[in-house]
Amino acid sequence: MIVRPPGLRRAGAALLGAVTVAALGAATPGTAAGAAPDSVLTWYDATADAVATAGAPTQVTNNRTWAIAWLGAARAQAGSPSPVYQRAALAGAVHRAIVTLLPARAAAADDVLAADLATIPAGRSRTSGLDAGRAAVDRLIAARTGDGLDPASVNAAYPQPAAAPGVWQPTPPAYAPAAQYGNRTARPFLLRNAAQFRPGPPPALGSARYRADLAEVRAYGAADSTVRTPAQTDTATFWLGSSLTLYTPILRAAVEQLPGSPARRTRLIALFHVAVVDTQIATSDAKYAYQRWRPVTAIRNADVDGDPVTEADPQWLPLHVTPAHPDYPSGHNTYAGAAEGILTALAGPVARAPYTIGSPSAPGVTRTYTDWHQPGRENVDARVWSGIHTRSADEAGIRLGRDVAAYALAHAGDLLR
């Protein structure tokens, strides 16, 4: 079970007053989500489609595209109370980001722009908003050039250390080289440095917590587990896909339900993606600082960990294939923690209506939620039941993501200028 830290609850409440009103703007009558035409959802869906069909092979690069598009829009909208200007600035910014960063989707983005502009009254506000949105994105793209979030930089070669107890090694069945090693040196949007919120070290080999973690994942995460229930297997499978894919409909539900001006809703999207980009940078920093071996390596090599209590099982395999990077902390859970922190602070602790999402790793299956906390709670359990993370790694991930989200919210005013 995950318990929200009191400090985060207090921070969220304070940020709702400070960030939501000051940075995001008070709700404006007549602009509630779902009202037609809804340019925010129009461009949200256009961004999601462009990233899904023409995005990079690295998740953080795609989150960067979202962040540039929507942060540019938010900056362009700042200071104008005109819904016409705000909608035009959004259209200009997101369209510019798509055609520049995802040029294969330029024609589709052009079509969306033409359709959206047909619903925005012509005049000075529309023209100036479009120009401001385009200029804001151009400035952001220039400023982010060389930030280390391109796929080649993210997956820079890892100097694999010699095998030793507790140290990460490539895992079966592919024994692929480490991924996302270079991500730790990328330039954050807001964090002072990648190690700013680095969690404390994982449990020491031979400690009571280490033994408990290993025993749990060994029993519940095994491919042939006799104790994992069908419901637990379903949860592990549902949350197996990429965090960006899984959280895109969650964020959309929050945006659709959020009342207020286009600027308020745009800024929610911008802060979400800035926070998850910085969280992924911080995650790679911690993973490669600690280089903790994955459960499959720990269980197969328990005879060399120096602990007489643990026993090796050289044939043990997890339910799902282990990703090619260290165990601690869990990236799925850092993403979940950041998402929960942003959504809880800016969209409220519970959803205004239940929302339903699907999963690419569980075709045809949907799950319905009423808040932003439950998906993260399921992520913690899911990675253990998949056999690919220890519970300590999952819980540390949630905390790290929340820390980054709280920092992003506290500095939203500076970011959105």
Side-chain angles (χ1 to χ4, degrees), residues 313-414:
D313 181 353
Q315 303 305 314
W316 190 90
L317 284 172
L319 172 64
H320 295 126
V321 174
T322 302
H325 40 76
D327 177 58
Y328 184 93
S330 159
H332 261 58
N333 283 288
T334 60
Y335 199 111
E340 179 189 344
I342 296 294
L343 292 172
T344 298
L346 301 183
V350 297
R352 288 171 171 78
Y355 62 93
T356 299
I357 65 170
S359 166
S361 50
V365 177
T366 61
R367 292 192 170 207
T368 299
Y369 300 96
T370 58
D371 64 15
W372 323 112
H373 172 65
Q374 185 63 23
R377 181 174 179 176
E378 290 184 12
N379 259 293
V380 168
D381 290 333
R383 306 309 268 179
V384 174
W385 297 336
S386 282
I388 58 180
H389 273 300
T390 59
R391 189 166 293 274
S392 288
D394 294 337
E395 292 174 348
I398 289 285
R399 291 192 298 271
L400 173 58
R402 288 173 176 164
D403 285 344
V404 176
Y407 185 83
L409 290 161
H411 292 81
D414 295 333

Side-chain angles (χ1 to χ4, degrees), residues 104-170:
R105 299 300 295 171
D110 290 346
D111 290 343
V112 175
L113 180 64
D116 192 39
L117 289 181
T119 70
I120 302 175
R124 181 174 298 176
S125 290
R126 189 177 82 171
T127 300
S128 57
L130 274 169
D131 290 343
R134 290 165 177 156
V137 164
D138 287 344
R139 287 191 295 270
L140 259 175
I141 290 174
R144 297 300 302 180
T145 298
D147 61 7
L149 291 171
D150 59 285
S153 297
V154 167
N155 284 327
Y158 173 56
Q160 178 66 51
V167 177
W168 183 85
Q169 297 293 315

Side-chain angles (χ1 to χ4, degrees), residues 17 31 35 48 51 66 88 90 94 101 119 123 162-164 177 185 190 208 221 224 232 263 288 312 342 352 369:
T31 59
V51 168
W66 275 93
L90 170 62
V94 180
L101 300 175
T119 70
T185 62
L190 269 175
D224 58 355
Q232 290 169 337
Y288 288 102
I342 296 294
R352 288 171 171 78
Y369 300 96

